[in-house]
Amino acid sequence: MMPLLAIDSSAGRPGSPGGRGVAPMIEMYDVSVVFPNGARGLHKVNLRIAKGEFVFLVGPSGAGKSTFIRLIYREILPTSGQVYVLGRNLARLRRREVPYLRREVGVVFQDFKLLNDRTVYDNVAFALQVTGASPREVRKRVPAVLEMVGLAHKATCYPDELAGGEQQRVSVARAIANNPRIVLADEPTGNLDPDTARGIVELLLDINRLGATVVVATHALDIVSSHRQRVVELRDGRVVRDVERGLYRRAL
Amino acid sequence: MPFRALLYHCREALRGIARNGFMSLASVTTVAISLLVLTLFLLLGANLANVFTWVEEQVQIRAFLADDLTEARRELLMREIGRQEGVRSVTFIHKDQALQELADRLGTDAEILQGVDSINPLPHTLAIEVEPEHAERVAEMVAGMEGVDQVSEKGEMVRRLVAVTRVLRWGGVALMALLAVATVLVISNTIRLTVYARRQEIAIMKLVGATDSFIRAPFFIEGMLLGLAGSLLSVGGAWWAYGYAMTLAADSVPFLPMLPRDQLFADLLPALVAGGALLGVLGTNLSIKRFLRV
Ligand SMILES: Nc1ncnc2c1ncn2[C@@H]1O[C@H](COP(=O)(O)OP(=O)(O)OP(=O)(O)O)[C@@H](O)[C@H]1O
Ligand SMILES: [Mg+2]
């Protein structure tokens, strides 16, 4: 049986700026984002995230968390500086190469973004079908990821028949359907009660243990501090703190 | 493209057509009307060209000869005319024969000629068959010849017909261009609605890494299907209209030759169907460029 998330066995580049002796999955060098209206999204951000890391991205509203996430799946490009994902300079990536990058990067949002006229199964299958997977692959893969997120028994339900937490699990299942090496989550627990939120973060940690590099932007500081993972804090578009496996306490 | 992808795209395209049924119907109708007008113009053009060659074959100059012309002089005259460029043949028509022809042409009205046959006011005539582009010059030359009283030339009619055809052709081209533009716009609008209805799916497709061409394909198929449906409708309409025109023509202008329907449509059908599909693709292209920045 195919592993749920393939663990990338390619050797890390020795002496590469991963800093941890492992190949960097995400690298940012002096990255600034200025929006057309003049608003500053990020300002001179330097950051490396290595393969297999789990990173919490925190900071007050407007700090630039979403901007950071959107850079990684190339929804936007930096105004200046360089973003590398899986060793590729995103500014140099041609338009027709972007879809192939995105198959390596699963994204989860606060509002789930599910298709309400399709069942749970079809929502997950959709991600595979539109990237050219064969029906055989779909039949094999969809039950496996639904099993992983604990929703195998809800496969035939429609999204509006599910609780918020369950809907978010569907969206996580869709994000990992293509077996991505990076999983991004932008406030995945924003609409959920604390217990459900914990469940979602646990799920993302499971995915990380299976080999994916995971970045989670969140406001849920209690969850952050209880997990002792790397925490990057943004404020006004700058990285103001980068705590390795730290207890996170609000710097106020 | 793998077969299952094609299947997927077709299903999505049909879903799109069903989703905005009214606009789909509107675009099919517009395509049908545009192509119908276009087809009718083509049919008219083809028939005019046909009539034109038919008339062309009839181009004749008639030279009415002086009564006192001797046979020897007449032979000389005919040889002289026969040497002219563009002249196909020169035939002598005796005045009695001319009268007979006139009587034939008049048919039942021939009785007005009764009593005339003993006198016969008609002149001896030379019928000169000539290529249309030389008709005018030859007519002028013949008119200036000794022993020729008068010349009647039918080339004038041909020239007028050519002028009318030209106006019709350019008018038709302009009208067709306008209709094609209108069709493309309506199809593009329909596709835009589908894109709008599917914007959520499109956003997710982009997010999970579907390629641009994969995202666009169903819209192109949808546009093509709309164009195809419209063109088939228009061919049906034109088929019926042509049949009707043929019965009308058979009644009122039976001497005019009309092209047979089967042959004509067999020639036109592939072009029309391809044209409809092309308009659909162009319309999709327009809306995709403007509304589906993937
Ligand atoms: N599309 C945009 N156009 C203009 N300004 C924007 C845009 N997106 C974000 N910004 C601005 O960039 C800054 C960072 O926004 P961002 O969405 O990254 O913050 P955030 O940390 O995700 O906030 P929140 O916690 O509220 O989601 C803010 O000042 C915001 O107003
Ligand atoms: Mg945000």
Side-chain angles (χ1 to χ4, degrees), chain B residues 3-80:
Chain B
F3 180 69
R4 68 163 180 278
L6 188 66
L7 213 67
Y8 174 87
H9 294 318
C10 288
R11 210 172 46 229
E12 289 302 315
L14 289 175
R15 207 191 276 202
I17 289 172
R19 178 141 36 184
N20 38 71
F22 179 75
M23 269 312 292
S24 300
L25 196 68
S27 16
V28 170
T29 314
T30 317
V31 177
I33 291 171
S34 302
L35 287 179
L36 182 63
V37 173
L38 193 145
T39 313
L40 292 180
F41 260 97
L42 288 177
L43 293 175
L44 188 66
N47 274 291
L48 272 180
N50 186 41
V51 168
F52 183 60
T53 33
W54 172 74
V55 172
E56 197 171 77
E57 280 158 13
Q58 322 282 311
V59 172
Q60 275 193 352
I61 297 169
R62 283 184 174 244
F64 304 117
L65 303 177
D67 245 358
D68 54 359
L69 196 69
T70 65
E71 211 174 306
R73 297 252 313 125
R74 194 179 72 222
E75 288 294 326
L76 217 65
L77 208 64
M78 285 173 71
R79 223 170 301 144
E80 171 79 23

Side-chain angles (χ1 to χ4, degrees), chain B residues 170-233:
Chain B
W170 286 114
V173 166
L175 192 65
M176 282 192 264
L178 260 167
L179 286 169
V181 169
T183 311
V184 167
L185 288 179
V186 170
I187 291 183
S188 127
N189 201 46
T190 311
I191 299 300
R192 195 187 57 159
L193 287 181
T194 317
V195 170
Y196 184 76
R198 294 189 56 202
R199 64 196 180 286
Q200 230 191 336
E201 278 164 64
I202 293 170
I204 291 166
M205 282 197 250
K206 290 189 209 173
L207 194 68
V208 299
T211 59
D212 288 1
S213 50
F214 190 95
I215 295 175
R216 287 175 178 155
F219 298 107
F220 276 106
I221 293 177
E222 183 178 341
M224 219 167 71
L225 286 179
L226 294 176
L228 275 179
S231 68
L232 288 179
L233 269 180

Side-chain angles (χ1 to χ4, degrees), chain A residues 65-66 186-187:
Chain A
K65 302 182 295 294
S66 296
D186 192 354
E187 293 190 39

Side-chain angles (χ1 to χ4, degrees), chain A residues 95 102-103 113 118 132-133, chain B residues 4 201 204 206 209 212 294:
Chain A
R95 265 177 55 91
R102 294 203 178 145
R103 292 176 196 185
K113 296 197 193 303
R118 292 174 200 235
Chain B
R4 68 163 180 278
E201 278 164 64
I204 291 166
K206 290 189 209 173
D212 288 1
V294 288

